[in-house]
Amino acid sequence: MGTNWFMGILILVFQLNYAQEGTEMIWWNPANTDEMVVEGQAWPGQVSSFYHRLPEHAKEVVRPAVWNLSKHSAGLSIRFSTDAQIIKVRYKVKGRHAMPHMPATGVSGLDLYAKTSEGSWLWHRGKYSFSDTIQYHYANIDPKDKFHEMGREFQLYLPLYNEVEWLQIGVPKDAVLDPLPLRQEKPIVVYGTSIAQGACASRPGMAWTSILGRKLDRPLVNLAFSGNGRLEKELIAYIAQIDAKVYVLDCLPNLGATKDRSLNDVRQLIMSAVKQIRTKRPTTPILVVEHDGYSDATVDAQRHKTYTDLNRIAKEAFAQLRAGGVRGVHLLTKEELNLSMESFVDGTHPTDLGMMEYAVAYEKKIRHVINEPIGTTSTTIPVTQAREPGLYHWEKRHQELLKMNREKAPRICFFGNSITHYWGGSPEAPLRNGADSWKKNLEGLQVRNFGFGWDRVENVLWRIYHDELDGFDAEQIVLMIGTNNEHLNTDEEILSGLEMVINAVKVRQPKARLLLLGLFPRVDKEDRMRNLNRRMATLATSKNVDYADIGGVLLGKDKKIDASLFSDGLHPNAKGYRKVGKKLQSILKNNEN
């Protein structure tokens, strides 16, 4: 009986593997897509080969060593959504597959991550084979998520130390594969050495730049060149072309004193690089990074002297820049990086542990620099979501708002969840339950709809951190969010998240008047909402912002919801929207005076 059971399992495993191997696949070549889809590429459409990092005209400007390294796909990735249970990737690289101190999976391999509907990251293990054509096979992918069965968003990281000639992504023919266009948020731009390029991560997703990109959930442009991060003015000129969220200059490991380069020369290089960026980008933050040290420096006096001298020079240059009136310059110190003795492969390049320590230190510093603090409860940790993909695409709506804001600045921004999203206005939603009310009461006031179905406090915090209020001056910001946190969070947690959202709005829109709206009543939850709204009113007073409870018009004399004004006990129907629309219009008009 035991033998028969064992043989049955072997046959089943064989059949499953055979079924997967025999699955008919459709193959997508990103290079043949009309839209730009290579994440982390600062000059899309200007490169000589699809997976290069510098534009084609840089070949005649930068040194040959830099140009050759720019062909490596470090920091580049492909983003797509799919419901496939199998994903295969085949591609070809030009260089050697591995190095003595770095495995083939890091030098030439791929790395696949996915996002859940709640915005958390998942890593997928792939079976791989390295030959003339490299292949990765990701199987047993579960397309079912907590809120739907429509698959997930994926990010495929490309090789760190090799040039990709061509690449194809395959899914079963009955699966859906939707390429995701480039995100429009301002990127983090990193100029650095072999460490920032990715040596010696075991796989591309473990390079500190990749980890940081996931932690901040923001595009990152990796312009690191192994052995050649030297703060050269030609590279600085290219970097300054990029409209960045912050510039990172992490080049000291390649700038040790030599017979041709003194420490004073290094000081001048740092100062000149910062001033050159400032000429083109007068306000963008610049982060200068100290040398992370060597794990053997305690027993090698010369190595100890090399990095301590460089860090002393970096501090001196930083102080001179600040004293000279250069603003928005920051310093990340060796002590803040805090790499341990066990964090290095060869005394110089980080292990995966060292890469994680790098990313943690960078995230802490950059969040401070760009005013994106996080807390410890779910309402204070900004995340994306994808809870209603059958109705709308959350990220695409976010990107649409960024585009609309650039083309025509909104006068009033109304942030919320589905109650706002499906009310009416622009950008248009697949459902509009109160379109007539919006048109009559809000359209003339030039209110833009920043509502997203199923959003919670932490999702609005993410959107504000990711540029939805950047680049223009609004007159008013309206905020009605928190009802989707009701079943998950305490009042204290909801209020903590709302306070962070209010702070984030004030930083980005200091001239705008902020109106916090109380939450609409919910069936059988009227008392909870009423008590929470009282505390929200107190919060608004403490933060010196306006407060109004327009949802009161949806209640009957018994303080319970008037069911005739609702479609489902939470969302107003057309009649309900007419009542709250009239009330909101009156408040917004009064705020103009």
Side-chain angles (χ1 to χ4, degrees), residues 303-348:
R303 297 253 284 177
H304 183 269
K305 177 175 171 53
T306 295
Y307 83 76
T308 53
D309 282 350
L310 286 169
N311 288 346
R312 172 176 54 82
I313 290 298
K315 286 184 174 69
E316 291 175 1
F318 176 69
Q320 283 185 250
L321 287 164
R322 296 289 292 270
V326 181
R327 296 290 175 256
V329 183
H330 306 265
L331 184 69
L332 179 60
T333 66
K334 178 185 181 299
E335 290 72 27
E336 289 172 304
L337 290 170
N338 196 32
L339 268 67
S340 66
M341 181 182 69
E342 313 297 347
S343 305
F344 297 84
V345 170
D346 53 5
T348 301

Side-chain angles (χ1 to χ4, degrees), residues 523-557:
V523 64
D524 298 328
K525 300 288 181 67
E526 290 91 345
D527 289 343
R528 169 86 192 274
M529 295 297 102
R530 188 178 299 111
N531 292 331
L532 180 54
N533 283 348
R534 289 193 188 104
R535 299 186 65 178
M536 288 172 60
T538 301
L539 172 66
T541 299
S542 70
K543 303 300 293 185
N544 196 29
V545 301
D546 298 324
Y547 174 82
D549 181 9
I550 65 172
V553 300
L554 302 172
L555 293 170
K557 292 180 180 179

Side-chain angles (χ1 to χ4, degrees), residues 293-579:
Y294 303 111
S295 60
D296 60 335
T298 54
V299 294
D300 188 323
Q302 185 56 50
R303 297 253 284 177
H304 183 269
K305 177 175 171 53
T306 295
Y307 83 76
T308 53
D309 282 350
L310 286 169
N311 288 346
R312 172 176 54 82
I313 290 298
K315 286 184 174 69
E316 291 175 1
F318 176 69
Q320 283 185 250
L321 287 164
R322 296 289 292 270
V326 181
R327 296 290 175 256
V329 183
H330 306 265
L331 184 69
L332 179 60
T333 66
K334 178 185 181 299
E335 290 72 27
E336 289 172 304
L337 290 170
N338 196 32
L339 268 67
S340 66
M341 181 182 69
E342 313 297 347
S343 305
F344 297 84
V345 170
D346 53 5
T348 301
H349 300 94
T351 59
D352 285 354
L353 170 63
M355 289 292 185
M356 183 59 73
E357 290 169 337
Y358 254 99
V360 168
Y362 263 104
E363 181 193 13
K364 182 178 180 180
K365 192 73 173 188
I366 289 177
R367 284 197 179 279
H368 172 73
V369 168
I370 62 178
N371 281 302
E372 291 187 6
I374 59 173
T376 56
T377 60
S378 63
T379 57
T380 62
I381 301 172
V383 290
T384 62
Q385 61 101 342
R387 301 183 186 102
E388 288 189 326
L391 275 179
Y392 79 105
H393 194 289
W394 193 91
E395 183 188 313
K396 288 181 180 178
R397 182 170 172 84
H398 166 66
Q399 298 297 335
E400 183 180 9
L401 272 172
L402 296 184
K403 183 174 183 290
M404 291 177 68
N405 292 346
R406 285 197 305 271
E407 293 173 351
K408 184 178 180 181
R411 183 169 171 267
I412 300 176
C413 308
F414 188 175
F415 283 87
N417 46 49
S418 56
I419 295 172
T420 306
H421 186 178
Y422 303 135
W423 188 338
S426 178
E428 289 191 3
L431 300 176
R432 287 182 288 174
N433 299 321
D436 63 328
S437 165
W438 187 288
K439 184 177 181 64
K440 179 179 180 180
N441 297 294
L442 303 179
E443 188 173 283
L445 297 176
Q446 300 175 48
V447 180
R448 183 161 294 166
N449 191 326
F450 284 68
F452 283 56
W454 253 117
D455 256 14
R456 298 176 183 148
V457 173
E458 56 268 27
N459 307 128
V460 169
L461 183 62
W462 187 97
R463 293 196 281 119
I464 292 172
Y465 280 179
H466 286 72
D467 304 359
E468 284 191 10
L469 287 179
D470 291 5
F472 63 93
D473 290 324
E475 292 183 21
Q476 294 192 63
I477 310 295
V478 182
L479 179 66
M480 185 172 65
I481 192 70
T483 196
N484 289 327
N485 295 89
E486 180 272 333
H487 66 296
L488 295 171
N489 300 104
T490 65
D491 288 1
E492 288 73 17
E493 290 170 342
I494 294 172
L495 291 164
S496 294
L498 285 171
E499 183 172 11
M500 288 191 69
V501 170
I502 291 170
N503 292 340
V505 171
K506 285 188 167 187
V507 167
R508 290 154 182 81
Q509 291 285 340
K511 299 177 182 177
R513 189 162 184 169
L514 175 55
L515 170 63
L516 179 64
L517 294 179
L519 302 180
F520 283 5
R522 301 175 62 127
V523 64
D524 298 328
K525 300 288 181 67
E526 290 91 345
D527 289 343
R528 169 86 192 274
M529 295 297 102
R530 188 178 299 111
N531 292 331
L532 180 54
N533 283 348
R534 289 193 188 104
R535 299 186 65 178
M536 288 172 60
T538 301
L539 172 66
T541 299
S542 70
K543 303 300 293 185
N544 196 29
V545 301
D546 298 324
Y547 174 82
D549 181 9
I550 65 172
V553 300
L554 302 172
L555 293 170
K557 292 180 180 179
D558 60 356
K559 300 299 181 183
K560 300 295 184 181
I561 70 163
D562 182 345
S564 70
L565 302 176
F566 286 84
S567 60
D568 57 5
L570 172 62
H571 299 87
N573 56 24
K575 184 178 177 182
Y577 275 120
R578 283 193 284 272
K579 279 182 168 288

Side-chain angles (χ1 to χ4, degrees), residues 13-26:
V13 170
F14 174 79
Q15 288 174 338
L16 288 172
N17 286 338
Y18 178 80
Q20 289 184 351
E21 290 299 326
T23 301
E24 185 177 350
M25 308 291 286
I26 54 171

